């Protein structure tokens, strides 16, 4: 079937994307595109990893202490009673936890509901397992859940709902009411819920991250996936986990063991140190990210963006291009790289299903603010440099 | 649908892994498993979830079904339980037994490699690496491969780094094998081959290697490889038997693969533990590079099994499907360990010579001990495993013998029946490892000499 894709469609899409990437590299652009930090990881965690390597903890390992600590945190943060011995699977990042979960639960023809816009890998994983992704659009400008549309997306083949909150790319944190609606639907339809909570500790303005599993009757049908990466600025260490009811966790583990067998052992040891960080660590993490968020929103507003939706969590601003900027997101990013030397991500890549106004697909740009102050200051200066007499970006 | 591709890829941008990053040649498309092409199709399709839906299905979507499906776990898991290794390890701990079962060292890796990892962590190399590998490591892998085989490969287009060779195997099966494809494996086999082939929906054909020399049965091989065969999996040096595929055997397999257009997947993680014979890389045989995925890792060579740094070397048309699967399985591999691995692979010849010498001494201790204890010991040319026939002791099968060995003798071995499609074929054999320090090996040998009794 793939041979029937026209050469034109294939070549058109790839060259536009590749061009942006090469362009950013050629121009040495300041990178507000990638979702990983350019500031160092916390020293106490790096020390723990170094100590583990020196202590010869370098063979295949499962560090039960991680599960014990996670169980404590599940109880503290979400009121969940989880069995540390049977309900966790330590994986190579949330990426692998999610892949293993999908392979453990999704059969050929199973439908999986996703909220759009979405991190692209969910859909690919589902298809890899023979499942069918079904996209439920969140409604701009505030990316609200349309419960009616959501309910109508269920069929007799719906196996699971994937929920990413705090949300990439919009920065939305699903509200209690929205979670209740999702929970009600999952219970009524007897579906699984698979969550991606990697930004769980990065929420703003007193927003609390609520885990879907903590809602009534949800724990028995929810698989939580998360990782160290964003919370501890160690995206390259590949330590993540899945937390699920025992039979499901066991199934996920059986898949994980055949995919990678185990997560890197020294970093498992360091994970223990990380997860045992004092409350002050998590407080500063939030405060620092909130300051970065505020800075970037100001930076964008100063050059003409009207940010109608302030991110409530995650490390991203999903900025809508002002109505009078008649360029597409890709064109905008290209100009930004060329003229201002700042890279961002065109939003169209995150939209999979229908959104009400098709034009909106190409009207969003995602900026990452998981960056040090030098980077952010430099980006702000560069953007200011190309502001015209209107006070807005000259495009 | 357009997907952004930016420098130093992050999964959030989902670009670096993206199928649309490079326009694959038609042969890459042809070789990649359909599930990979399906992902790409979904990515480029402009239709939404209505794609392919009949009008009946569309209507169904608008109604709430009255009979929601019961919760269930994917069918692909029906065959899989906890691995035998975990079971035996748990029993071993309970009885304080000396573990010669699980294949990882109880001594550590070399200082210079550990130092390199520590340096990398301190230097801040802690964020996402490029999905298919840190460039320095890709280059080091290519350089090592050239040194070992004479083959020159492009580190950017033909080398992909994974979380251990285990993931390389999973990515090969999921990326290149379609449901219903026939794949040949040699029994006894490392258990993840069968598991990942089942996940990929393959039809598995097993050819058994028999003691005493575990030679490839030529006639059976000739009738097994046909035009219907998609791929053949070869593990050399071989776990669990220690067999090393000879040049003649590999040449025979090669000619049958060329004749029938069959792919070859090789697992060569023990290539530096080749004692009695020369390790031969299938990809280096004439006409074979273009159809071979060569997999390896640092775990066994550098006694760092927990670091999970592995790789696959394959021509671009096979690498493409492999990389797609890898990107969905783990996306990227541990960054600091990759830097350390690039240092490790540049180790001088003396490192590898000493590694071999060391393991040979350990092997002698174990083999002498097993013979003296009463086992029938089969010669092992490579790896750090030895298989023996336990039947002189009078137990009805390998699992029963291993349980006795743990409880009454205080030593762990692995029952090999789990490495066959038909467990009956392996019931006379058990596997011991000698990747343990000498004191441990001597202690285990002592226990077996003193406590092993015929029933």
């Amino acid at each position: 079937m793939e041979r029937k894709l026209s050469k034109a469609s294939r070549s058109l899409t790839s060259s536009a994307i590749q061009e942006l990437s090469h362009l950013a590299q050629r121009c040495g652009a300041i990178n507000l595109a990638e979702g990983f930090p350019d500031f160092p990881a916390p020293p106490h965690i790096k020390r723990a990893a170094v100590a583990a390597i020196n202590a010869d903890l370098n063979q295949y390992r499962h560090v039960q202490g991680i599960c014990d600590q996670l169980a404590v945190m599940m109880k503290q943060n979400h009121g969940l009673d989880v069995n540390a011995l049977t309900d966790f699977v330590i994986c190579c990042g949330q990426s692998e936890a999610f892949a293993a979960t999908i392979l453990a639960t999704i059969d050929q023809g199973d439908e999986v509901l996703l909220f759009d816009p979405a991190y692209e890998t969910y859909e690919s994983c589902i298809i890899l397992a023979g499942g069918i992704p079904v996209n439920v659009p969140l409604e701009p400008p505030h990316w609200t859940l349309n419960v009616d549309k959501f309910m109508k997306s269920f069929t007799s083949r719906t196996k699971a709902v994937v929920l990413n909150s705090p949300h990439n790319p919009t920065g939305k944190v699903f509200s209690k009411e929205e979670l209740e609606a999702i929970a009600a639907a999952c219970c009524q339809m007897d579906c699984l819920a698979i969550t991606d909570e990697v930004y769980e500790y990065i929420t703003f303005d007193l927003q609390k991250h609520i885990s879907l599993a903590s809602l009534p009757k949800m724990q028995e049908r929810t698989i939580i996936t998360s990782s160290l990466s964003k919370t501890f600025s160690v995206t390259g260490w590949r330590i993540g986990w899945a937390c699920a009811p025992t039979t499901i966790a066991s199934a996920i583990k059986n898949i994980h063991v055949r995919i990678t067998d185990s997560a890197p052992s020294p970093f498992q040891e360091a994970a223990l140190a990380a997860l045992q960080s004092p409350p002050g660590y998590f407080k500063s993490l939030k405060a620092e990210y909130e300051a970065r968020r505020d800075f970037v929103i100001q930076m964008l507003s100063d050059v003409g963006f009207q940010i109608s939706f302030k991110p409530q969590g995650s490390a991203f601003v999903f900025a809508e291009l002002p109505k009078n900027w008649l360029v597409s997101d890709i064109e905008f990013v290209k100009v930004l790289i060329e003229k201002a030397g700042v890279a961002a991500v065109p939003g169209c890549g995150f939209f999979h299903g229908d959104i009400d106004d098709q034009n909106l697909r190409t009207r969003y740009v995602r900026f990452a603010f998981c960056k040090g102050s030098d980077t952010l200051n430099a980006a702000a200066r560069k953007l200011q440099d190309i502001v015209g007499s209107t006070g807005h970006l000259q495009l | 649908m357009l997907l952004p591709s930016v420098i130093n890829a992050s999964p959030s941008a989902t670009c670096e892994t993206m199928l649309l990053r490079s326009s694959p040649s038609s042969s890459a498309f042809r070789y990649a498993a359909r599930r990979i092409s399906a992902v790409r199709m979904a990515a480029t399709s402009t239709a939404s979830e209505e794609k392919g839906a009949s009008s009946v299905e569309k209507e169904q979507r608008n109604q709430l079904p009255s009979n929601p499906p019961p919760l269930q776990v994917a069918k692909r898991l029906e065959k899989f339980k906890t691995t035998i290794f975990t079971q035996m390890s748990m029993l071993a701990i309970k009885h304080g037994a000396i573990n010669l079962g699980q294949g990882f060292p109880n001594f550590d890796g070399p200082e210079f490699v550990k130092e390199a990892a520590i340096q990398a962590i301190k230097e801040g190399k802690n964020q996402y690496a490029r999905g298919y590998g840190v460039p320095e490591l890709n280059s080091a892998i290519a350089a090592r491969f050239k040194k070992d085989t004479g083959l020159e490969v492009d580190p950017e287009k033909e080398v992909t780094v994974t979380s251990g060779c285990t993931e390389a195997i999973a990515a090969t099966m999921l990326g290149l094998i379609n449901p219903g494809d026939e794949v040949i494996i040699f029994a006894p086999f490392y258990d993840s081959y069968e598991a990942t082939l089942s996940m990929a929906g393959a039809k598995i054909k097993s050819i058994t290697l028999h003691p005493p020399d575990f030679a490839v049965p030529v006639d059976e091989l000739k009738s097994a490889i046909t035009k219907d065969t998609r791929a053949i999996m070869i593990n050399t040096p071989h776990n669990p038997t220690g067999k090393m595929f000879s040049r003649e055997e590999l040449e025979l397999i090669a000619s049958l693969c060329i004749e029938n257009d069959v792919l070859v997947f090789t697992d060569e993680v023990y290539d530096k533990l080749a004692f009695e014979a020369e390790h031969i890389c299938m990809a280096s045989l004439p006409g074979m590079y273009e159809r071979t995925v060569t997999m390896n890792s640092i775990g066994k060579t550098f006694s760092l099994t927990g670091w999970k740094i592995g790789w696959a070397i394959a021509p671009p048309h096979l690498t493409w499907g492999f990389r797609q699967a890898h990107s969905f399985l783990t996306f990227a591999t541990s960054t600091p360990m990759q830097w350390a691995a690039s240092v490790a692979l540049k180790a001088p010849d003396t490192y590898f010579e000493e590694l071999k010498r060391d393991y040979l001494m350990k092997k002698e201790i174990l083999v002498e001990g097993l013979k003296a204890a009463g086992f029938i010991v089969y010669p092992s040319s490579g790896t750090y495993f030895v298989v023996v026939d336990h039947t002189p002791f009078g137990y009805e099968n390998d699992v029963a013998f291993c349980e006795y060995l743990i409880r009454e003798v205080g030593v762990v071995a692995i029952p090999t029946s789990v490495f066959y499609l038909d467990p009956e074929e392996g019931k006379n054999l058990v596997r011991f490892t000698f990747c343990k320090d000498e004191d441990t090996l001597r202690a285990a040998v002592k226990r077996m000499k003193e406590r092993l009794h015929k029933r």
Side-chain angles (χ1 to χ4, degrees), chain B residues 3-259:
Chain B
L3 288 148
S5 172
V6 297
I7 49 175
N8 300 331
S10 87
S12 312
T14 69
C15 32
E16 189 269 330
T17 67
M18 261 347 282
L19 318 161
L20 305 177
R21 180 185 174 83
S22 62
S23 200
S25 67
S26 57
S27 62
F29 250 154
R30 184 158 38 96
Y31 280 98
R34 275 193 296 275
R35 67 178 66 75
I36 298 297
S37 316
V39 177
R40 193 176 190 287
M41 270 182 69
T44 54
S45 165
T46 52
S48 66
E49 68 270 5
E50 300 297 277
K51 171 178 70 137
S54 68
S55 56
V56 171
E57 286 170 338
K58 280 179 196 168
E59 214 179 88
Q60 277 177 347
R61 283 209 173 84
N62 295 325
Q63 295 163 4
L64 292 176
S66 49
N67 292 315
L71 262 181
Q72 50 173 291
V73 161
K75 290 190 188 67
R76 64 176 63 79
L77 269 169
E78 274 158 11
K79 293 185 70 179
F80 307 147
K81 312 160 290 271
T82 329
T83 68
I84 192 72
F85 305 102
T86 318
Q87 282 164 23
M88 288 287 146
S89 285
M90 282 169 20
L91 203 56
I93 291 168
K94 198 165 154 213
H95 292 270
I98 299 175
N99 201 325
L100 299 191
Q102 209 150 356
F104 57 82
N106 66 348
F107 47 84
D108 212 48
E111 281 306 311
F112 76 98
V113 180
K114 296 198 298 189
E115 263 313 307
I118 289 169
Q119 261 319 101
I121 293 169
K122 288 182 173 168
E123 284 169 13
K125 292 172 172 150
N126 301 305
Q127 307 309 327
Y128 290 122
R130 190 178 64 172
Y132 58 96
V134 164
E136 278 75 2
L137 180 55
N138 288 52
S139 299
I141 291 168
R144 188 78 233 169
F145 194 61
K146 168 129 200 242
K147 189 162 199 266
D148 293 340
T149 67
L151 289 170
E152 269 199 51
V153 300
D154 183 333
E156 297 301 291
K157 300 199 179 111
E158 298 175 298
V159 176
T160 308
V161 177
T162 53
S163 292
C165 188
T166 305
E167 199 217 328
I169 294 162
T172 297
M173 304 309 193
L174 291 169
L176 299 174
I177 299 298
N178 284 309
D181 279 352
E182 188 183 283
V183 179
I184 298 174
I185 55 179
F186 291 99
F189 44 75
Y190 176 59
D191 66 339
S192 89
Y193 307 155
E194 192 212 340
T196 47
L197 280 169
S198 298
M199 263 195 253
K203 211 170 82 183
I204 303 170
K205 222 179 191 173
S206 165
I207 296 177
T208 305
L209 305 173
H210 296 287
D213 56 1
F214 303 102
V216 173
V218 171
D219 291 334
E220 203 184 324
L221 181 75
K222 282 181 176 167
S223 58
I225 299 183
T226 68
K227 293 258 180 286
D228 291 329
T229 313
R230 165 84 170 151
I232 180 166
M233 178 81 215
I234 297 173
N235 170 218
T236 181
H238 184 246
N239 170 13
T241 65
K243 166 202 173 59
M244 292 180 61
F245 282 67
S246 69
R247 186 168 288 279
E248 293 68 38
E249 286 172 326
L250 292 175
E251 280 172 348
L252 173 61
I253 296 170
S255 68
L256 291 166
C257 287
I258 292 169
E259 193 188 314

Side-chain angles (χ1 to χ4, degrees), chain B residues 226-415:
Chain B
T226 68
K227 293 258 180 286
D228 291 329
T229 313
R230 165 84 170 151
I232 180 166
M233 178 81 215
I234 297 173
N235 170 218
T236 181
H238 184 246
N239 170 13
T241 65
K243 166 202 173 59
M244 292 180 61
F245 282 67
S246 69
R247 186 168 288 279
E248 293 68 38
E249 286 172 326
L250 292 175
E251 280 172 348
L252 173 61
I253 296 170
S255 68
L256 291 166
C257 287
I258 292 169
E259 193 188 314
N260 294 282
D261 195 19
V262 175
L263 298 177
V264 178
F265 305 147
T266 69
D267 171 357
E268 302 182 24
V269 290
Y270 299 101
D271 68 340
K272 298 292 176 286
L273 296 180
F275 306 118
E276 319 294 338
E278 188 205 342
H279 170 73
I280 299 160
C281 181
M282 180 59 116
S284 66
L285 267 59
M288 289 312 289
Y289 181 75
E290 67 206 52
R291 58 182 64 255
T292 306
V293 178
T294 306
M295 297 175 275
N296 211 326
S297 78
I298 62 162
K300 312 319 201 246
T301 311
F302 295 94
S303 311
L304 295 163
T305 57
W307 282 20
K308 312 307 290 160
I309 301 292
W311 59 84
I313 299 172
H317 58 273
L318 297 181
T319 293
W320 189 77
F322 179 92
R323 281 186 183 176
Q324 302 317 316
H326 159 63
S327 68
F328 308 135
L329 290 174
T330 61
F331 181 74
T333 309
S334 160
T335 311
M337 284 18 185
Q338 286 194 59
W339 283 94
S342 71
V343 168
L345 288 174
K346 293 176 193 143
D349 290 345
T350 46
Y351 172 80
F352 301 99
E353 284 155 18
E354 201 182 308
L355 181 80
K356 264 168 83 156
R357 260 201 313 273
D358 196 47
Y359 269 116
L360 262 168
M361 277 190 322
K362 293 170 155 69
K363 182 171 161 181
E364 266 165 39
I365 296 170
L366 180 66
V367 167
E368 182 281 327
L370 291 171
K371 284 183 175 155
F375 290 99
I376 301 166
V377 179
Y378 295 114
S380 155
S381 314
T383 77
Y384 43 48
F385 301 113
V386 173
V387 290
V388 303
D389 186 321
H390 65 82
T391 53
F393 299 99
Y395 286 82
E396 67 265 26
N397 61 41
D398 53 340
V399 178
F401 178 76
C402 284
E403 283 173 358
Y404 155 73
L405 196 68
I406 293 175
R407 282 188 235 270
E408 306 299 330
V409 181
V411 175
V412 190
I414 290 290

Side-chain angles (χ1 to χ4, degrees), chain A residues 160-317:
Chain A
V161 176
V162 170
L163 176 68
N164 169 219
S165 181
H167 185 245
N168 171 12
T170 65
K172 169 193 174 64
V173 171
F174 281 70
S175 70
K176 186 94 196 276
E177 293 68 38
E178 287 171 326
L179 294 176
E180 281 167 350
I182 296 169
C186 288
C187 290
Q188 184 185 345
M189 309 309 299
D190 197 16
C191 285
L192 297 173
I194 302 170
T195 68
D196 172 359
E197 302 183 25
V198 291
Y199 297 102
E200 56 187 312
Y201 294 104
I202 302 176
T203 55
F204 314 123
D205 307 322
L206 304 176
Q207 273 274 7
K208 193 177 175 281
H209 163 68
I210 302 168
S211 193
L212 184 65
S214 64
L215 269 64
K217 298 227 175 81
M218 284 307 288
Q219 188 174 2
E220 67 208 46
R221 59 181 68 255
T222 306
I223 299 114
I224 299 172
T225 69
S226 193
S227 77
L228 286 189
S229 294
K230 311 303 199 283
T231 311
F232 299 99
S233 311
V234 286
T235 58
W237 283 15
R238 321 313 292 139
I239 300 290
W241 53 84
C243 174
T246 307
T247 5
I248 301 180
S250 175
I252 295 170
K253 182 181 260 172
N254 285 342
I255 295 276
H256 152 70
V257 160
R258 271 88 181 189
I259 297 181
T260 63
D261 187 67
S262 55
S265 29
F267 298 137
Q268 286 192 53
E269 294 296 327
L272 207 42
L275 293 169
Q276 285 165 347
S277 296
Y281 173 82
F282 298 93
K283 272 211 182 86
S284 329
L285 181 79
K286 252 195 211 252
E288 279 159 21
Y289 266 101
E290 192 166 324
R292 292 178 186 121
R293 175 205 62 171
D294 293 343
F295 184 91
V296 167
I297 289 183
Q298 191 60 49
M299 172 186 89
L300 294 173
S301 308
D302 284 348
V303 299
F305 279 90
Q306 283 124 33
I307 308 290
S308 50
F309 179 71
K310 229 164 111 171
Q312 306 157 309
S314 87
F316 305 111
V317 176

Side-chain angles (χ1 to χ4, degrees), chain A residues 17 21 25 56 103 119 152, chain B residues 3 5 7 11 61 76 114:
Chain A
I17 295 150
S21 158
Q25 252 174 327
D56 297 343
L103 287 169
Y119 175 55
K152 290 202 164 98
Chain B
L3 288 148
S5 172
I7 49 175
R61 283 209 173 84
R76 64 176 63 79
K114 296 198 298 189

Side-chain angles (χ1 to χ4, degrees), chain A residues 4-53:
Chain A
K4 297 192 179 176
L5 281 177
S6 68
K7 262 206 189 107
S9 70
R10 269 187 261 159
S11 60
L12 189 68
T13 50
S14 49
S15 57
I17 295 150
Q18 265 195 301
E19 256 180 52
L20 279 179
S21 158
H22 293 152
L23 190 59
Q25 252 174 327
R26 274 200 307 273
C27 299
I30 295 177
N31 205 313
L32 300 189
E34 357 138 296
F36 60 85
D38 64 357
F39 47 80
H44 69 290
I45 295 165
K46 290 197 286 192
R47 270 197 301 271
V50 168
I53 293 172

